[in-house]
Amino acid sequence: MAVEETGKMKGIRRLAEHLDISIGTVSRALNGKPDVNEETRKRVLEAAESLGYVANQSGRSLRKGSTGVIAFMMQTGTEITGQGDTFFMSVFDGVQTVFARHKLDLMVLLCSSEEDPLAYLKRVVARGFADGIILSATRRHDERFELLAKHKIPFITLGRSLSDVGQPWIDLDFEGMAETAVDRLVAHGHRHIAVTRPHDDMNLGYVFVDRCREALARHGLTLDESHIFRSTPNQAGGYQIARELLACEERPTAILLVNESITIGFYRGLEEAGLRPGKDIAVIGRKSPHSQFLSPSLTCFSLSLRDLGISLAESLLATIPAYANLYPHRSERFLWPMELVAGESDSFDLP
Amino acid sequence: MAVEETGKMKGIRRLAEHLDISIGTVSRALNGKPDVNEETRKRVLEAAESLGYVANQSGRSLRKGSTGVIAFMMQTGTEITGQGDTFFMSVFDGVQTVFARHKLDLMVLLCSSEEDPLAYLKRVVARGFADGIILSATRRHDERFELLAKHKIPFITLGRSLSDVGQPWIDLDFEGMAETAVDRLVAHGHRHIAVTRPHDDMNLGYVFVDRCREALARHGLTLDESHIFRSTPNQAGGYQIARELLACEERPTAILLVNESITIGFYRGLEEAGLRPGKDIAVIGRKSPHSQFLSPSLTCFSLSLRDLGISLAESLLATIPAYANLYPHRSERFLWPMELVAGESDSFDLP
DNA sequence: CTGGCTTCCGTAAACGTTTACGATACTATG
DNA sequence: CATAGTATCGTAAACGTTTACGGAAGCCAG
């Protein structure tokens, strides 16, 4: 065997030559395999560190069949999801703390607003980018579910869908939000409560509105169809909702804003008409980085996005054979609770 | 040669058998190489389409040495950059429209707030993930620049740095913002103008504050050191700035908010003291999804984030040999202009 | 008919890993 | 001392592509 040959080869081969041992042993040493002397393992690790060696991803995943990468697919153009500013960043942060434990890499895949999400995902799948996938912006009918199921790729979704194929999911507890909010508003004397609903094809719209209706019914109240407002999930949409609400013949005395990113537009719309949340109309929304700095501060539903990310990651890993045993007690699918944070925007009583 | 053998092999080999031609020809046909009959090329493409074949990424990039992936590195925890998700989402959208033309994939790499960005990037580089890298959240002194230069990996940065190694960059034109804003405020009679500055290690802070000072000097005015406010780039930081400003002995009559995500907190801080932007104090900031729905609407500097993304992508490709000839006229490094959008928050004159 | 193009295609060697398998030396056991 | 077992390591074959090379036709000019 060639000794001390300063060949300009790359990668593990070079490292092996430098140490004068075989590449097989080097590989085993680096990957923590058993068949290697502890002392040589130490030498290998030190040499790798000092030479800055890291296994080439392509070679490794070609051989192993897995990539060590988990993809989080989302859409650019937040117009769809209606989540604002830092929602996803916080979720990612949680996801990554879990992945870091297993030397997995999170990779965010952005499906451009111009591209068909299904076609995009097909490419991702076929190219074999990721060992697992987290899907967001799930639609009420979402073909991506079947695609991933067909290819037997482990995945989890942030959001439910009618296209459920038995994969795990986590969704925000909009049901709980609906009930808590309705009960609270009714307790304050409100009888005419309006709600918003997002994009027609988003599942949560149905869930949320239906549950609001049920909650109202328990109090002997009904949800007026003209009090269900729909808009684009952005500030402009919020503004529009405010104007529509003001134009109602029988104006509601309270409203539930289910999207994060419409609040400011809604506030503005109210103010232009001389109305003030918490005084002339009760407003309950979702917590966001600015909700407590609005004036008046927003009564809102809050959740730990970072913990949500952690759960998402752990539940996904629980479905991947190589990691499943580490997360045995992970429940497969559940509603993520939200907690009400009282602000000033609904703090008044009706007679 | 085996004909019609329905072997359960994977990938290109299976496709080749199905067509009864060699894998070499199949590969050439798919990759648009010249040495292949146009008719067989058509057959191959159709078969690939119908069988849903897409070349395996690992095999391909192992052989080619390139991955077809461009990475955009950012930090989770926007506490550093002060940009919200929507900022980057729009930029990504632009980046992707360019990459799509070349069948390149954008991949967003999130460096967790707990991890050292340099160490993270080292791993990315060594593993050979990407053919090129876009760096954001550049620091005043940023070791990542040297790392990428040493490994000869094409990259571009969104933001300047003292660690410049000759790579292309694009940065927002904070200089222009400073001058335009100062001139405008001075024209309205303001003599005591405050400014904010972001994280100490962010380059833009120095650039912005220095240029404000210069612009004021041209009008014979000085920037009071106690009127330079520093905070975390989030709403809480904006709130804090407002309180500090109100505590000034000689209170400034105008302020420039250089971060986009502190405005709401700042507004709130003012309001609690009974002050109103555009009436008691002039406020100029950065455009964000909600700036026009604030009350009073924010006079702000706006830019096309999508176009910024396009430029970023094209300028990066111009430095990658395989694409360089397609973008010959790309300027290497430039300041991205911002345009002033008049709102109500600075619309009053001082005597 | 010969020689040289051109056009098309098959062969096989890479790319950098991981890992099944076998080989060697040493230890323990009878 | 023979044998079985163990600890450690080297060898070589994959993984799925791309591509340099060469070969087999077909064509045309001489």
Side-chain angles (χ1 to χ4, degrees):
Chain A
M1 187 210 309
V3 179
E4 285 297 325
E5 189 180 321
T6 329
K8 258 315 164 200
M9 25 185 50
K10 301 257 293 273
I12 201 173
R13 189 153 264 125
R14 191 166 113 70
L15 188 57
E17 271 195 357
H18 178 253
L19 288 163
D20 196 23
I21 50 182
S22 79
I23 61 170
T25 307
V26 173
S27 175
R28 281 190 296 266
L30 291 172
N31 293 13
K33 291 296 160 71
D35 274 13
V36 45
N37 188 317
E38 276 313 315
E39 193 191 347
T40 48
R41 185 192 304 277
K42 203 164 75 110
R43 276 180 59 218
V44 171
L45 289 175
E46 283 171 359
E49 171 73 19
S50 78
L51 295 185
Y53 169 80
V54 179
N56 173 284
Q57 184 58 32
S58 303
R60 156 183 286 233
S61 57
L62 177 57
R63 167 66 216 226
K64 301 225 309 180
S66 67
T67 63
V69 169
I70 306 286
F72 192 116
M73 177 174 172
M74 57 185 299
Q75 254 102 312
T76 55
T78 51
E79 304 294 305
I80 301 296
T81 75
Q83 305 293 4
D85 286 5
T86 53
F87 183 92
F88 283 107
M89 286 302 150
S90 305
V91 174
F92 292 155
D93 211 25
V95 169
Q96 279 197 307
T97 62
V98 175
F99 287 174
R101 295 203 283 266
H102 309 290
K103 296 189 182 266
L104 284 169
D105 273 303
L106 172 66
M107 177 162 299
V108 180
L109 298 176
L110 282 316
C111 179
S112 142
S113 48
E114 295 156 11
E115 194 169 1
D116 173 36
L118 184 62
Y120 183 86
L121 188 60
K122 258 184 191 153
R123 261 178 42 228
V124 171
V125 168
R127 290 176 59 161
F129 257 144
D131 295 344
I133 296 186
I134 304 176
L135 248 39
S136 70
T138 55
R139 303 304 192 88
R140 190 161 165 82
H141 299 277
D142 203 320
E143 296 173 278
R144 297 177 299 172
F145 286 55
E146 289 170 24
L147 175 67
L148 292 177
K150 198 177 72 182
H151 286 264
K152 299 199 198 314
I153 297 185
F155 74 111
I156 187 171
T157 67
L158 176 53
R160 284 160 287 177
S161 165
L162 295 182
S163 304
D164 195 306
V165 291
Q167 88 293 348
W169 52 254
I170 297 181
D171 202 354
L172 304 191
D173 183 18
F174 292 109
E175 286 92 328
M177 172 176 170
E179 291 183 3
T180 306
V182 165
D183 288 353
R184 178 179 170 95
L185 289 172
V186 170
H188 280 285
H190 293 277
R191 295 290 172 268
H192 300 284
I193 299 174
V195 302
T196 66
R197 92 179 307 168
H199 191 287
D200 258 358
D201 196 26
M202 300 295 289
N203 199 50
L204 86 87
Y206 297 85
V207 169
F208 183 68
V209 173
D210 289 352
R211 193 57 70 99
C212 283
R213 215 190 310 269
E214 292 172 28
L216 284 167
R218 272 200 296 279
H219 296 284
L221 301 172
T222 59
L223 177 57
D224 193 319
E225 287 301 316
S226 69
H227 289 172
I228 302 175
F229 296 98
R230 181 175 334 211
S231 76
T232 56
N234 54 20
Q235 304 301 349
Y239 182 77
Q240 173 205 326
I241 288 179
R243 297 187 61 91
E244 290 176 8
L245 178 138
L246 293 168
C248 283
E249 328 180 347
E250 183 167 35
R251 185 190 298 166
T253 61
I255 186 168
L256 298 180
L257 306 178
V258 73
N259 284 319
E260 283 193 9
S261 42
I262 68 172
T263 316
I264 299 173
F266 183 77
Y267 266 46
R268 176 61 181 241
L270 287 187
E271 193 203 309
E272 285 186 7
L275 296 188
R276 192 169 165 83
K279 186 156 162 293
D280 306 300
I281 182 172
V283 180
I284 296 183
R286 293 264 306 282
K287 178 163 181 179
S288 68
H290 46 251
S291 50
Q292 65 172 307
F293 293 102
L294 284 173
S295 170
S297 64
L298 185 69
T299 293
C300 56
F301 284 86
S302 151
L303 70 161
S304 168
L305 295 169
R306 196 162 178 287
D307 290 342
L308 173 61
I310 291 176
S311 281
L312 218 38
E314 292 184 344
S315 294
L316 174 61
L317 291 186
T319 71
I320 301 182
Y323 304 95
N325 56 328
L326 299 174
Y327 301 99
H329 301 307
R330 266 275 150 229
S331 107
E332 292 267 304
R333 19 181 67 201
F334 55 91
L335 292 176
W336 195 263
M338 297 193 275
E339 186 191 357
L340 189 122
V341 178
E344 308 156 343
S345 64
D346 76 332
S347 55
F348 70 113
D349 288 327
L350 283 185
Chain B
M1 190 211 306
V3 178
E4 284 297 325
E5 188 181 323
T6 329
K8 257 314 163 199
M9 25 186 48
K10 300 256 295 271
I12 201 173
R13 188 152 264 126
R14 192 166 111 71
L15 188 58
E17 270 194 358
H18 177 254
L19 288 163
D20 196 22
I21 51 183
S22 80
I23 61 170
T25 306
V26 172
S27 175
R28 280 190 298 267
L30 291 172
N31 293 13
K33 290 296 160 70
D35 274 14
V36 46
N37 188 316
E38 276 313 315
E39 194 190 347
T40 48
R41 186 193 302 278
K42 202 162 75 103
R43 276 180 58 216
V44 171
L45 289 176
E46 283 170 359
E49 170 73 18
S50 78
L51 295 185
Y53 169 79
V54 178
N56 173 284
Q57 184 59 33
S58 302
R60 155 183 286 233
S61 57
L62 178 57
R63 167 66 216 225
K64 300 225 308 178
S66 68
T67 62
V69 169
I70 307 285
F72 192 117
M73 177 173 172
M74 58 186 298
Q75 254 102 312
T76 55
T78 52
E79 303 295 305
I80 301 295
T81 75
Q83 308 290 5
D85 286 12
T86 50
F87 180 94
F88 286 106
M89 286 302 154
S90 304
V91 174
F92 292 156
D93 211 26
V95 168
Q96 280 196 305
T97 63
V98 175
F99 287 174
R101 296 204 283 266
H102 309 289
K103 296 187 181 274
L104 284 169
D105 273 302
L106 172 65
M107 174 162 300
V108 180
L109 299 176
L110 283 313
C111 178
S112 143
S113 49
E114 295 156 12
E115 194 168 0
D116 173 36
L118 185 63
Y120 183 85
L121 188 60
K122 258 183 191 153
R123 261 178 41 228
V124 172
V125 168
R127 288 175 60 159
F129 258 145
D131 295 343
I133 295 186
I134 304 175
L135 248 39
S136 69
T138 55
R139 301 306 192 88
R140 190 162 165 81
H141 298 278
D142 203 320
E143 296 174 278
R144 296 178 299 172
F145 286 55
E146 289 169 24
L147 176 67
L148 293 177
K150 197 177 73 183
H151 287 265
K152 298 200 198 315
I153 297 185
F155 75 109
I156 187 172
T157 67
L158 176 52
R160 284 161 286 177
S161 165
L162 295 182
S163 304
D164 196 306
V165 291
Q167 88 293 349
W169 53 253
I170 297 181
D171 203 353
L172 304 191
D173 183 18
F174 292 109
E175 287 93 327
M177 174 176 170
E179 291 183 5
T180 306
V182 165
D183 288 352
R184 178 179 170 96
L185 289 172
V186 170
H188 280 285
H190 293 277
R191 295 290 172 268
H192 300 285
I193 299 174
V195 302
T196 67
R197 90 178 309 166
H199 193 286
D200 258 358
D201 197 25
M202 300 296 288
N203 199 49
L204 86 88
Y206 296 85
V207 170
F208 183 69
V209 173
D210 290 350
R211 195 56 71 99
C212 284
R213 215 189 311 268
E214 292 171 28
L216 284 167
R218 271 200 296 280
H219 295 285
L221 301 172
T222 59
L223 177 57
D224 194 319
E225 286 301 317
S226 69
H227 289 171
I228 302 174
F229 296 98
R230 182 174 334 212
S231 76
T232 55
N234 54 20
Q235 305 301 348
Y239 182 78
Q240 174 204 327
I241 288 180
R243 297 187 61 92
E244 290 177 8
L245 180 138
L246 293 167
C248 282
E249 328 181 347
E250 183 169 36
R251 185 192 297 167
T253 60
I255 187 167
L256 298 180
L257 306 178
V258 73
N259 284 320
E260 60 170 64
S261 42
I262 69 172
T263 316
I264 299 174
F266 183 76
Y267 266 47
R268 176 61 182 239
L270 287 188
E271 194 204 308
E272 285 187 7
L275 296 188
R276 192 168 164 83
K279 187 156 161 295
D280 307 300
I281 182 172
V283 180
I284 297 183
R286 292 265 307 282
K287 179 165 180 178
S288 69
H290 46 251
S291 49
Q292 65 172 306
F293 293 100
L294 285 172
S295 172
S297 65
L298 184 69
T299 294
C300 57
F301 283 85
S302 151
L303 69 161
S304 168
L305 295 169
R306 196 163 178 285
D307 290 342
L308 173 61
I310 290 176
S311 281
L312 218 38
E314 292 185 344
S315 293
L316 175 61
L317 292 187
T319 72
I320 302 181
Y323 304 94
N325 57 327
L326 300 174
Y327 302 98
H329 302 306
R330 266 276 150 228
S331 110
E332 292 267 304
R333 21 181 65 202
F334 55 91
L335 293 176
W336 195 262
M338 297 193 275
E339 186 191 357
L340 188 123
V341 179
E344 308 156 342
S345 65
D346 76 333
S347 57
F348 71 112
D349 288 325
L350 282 185

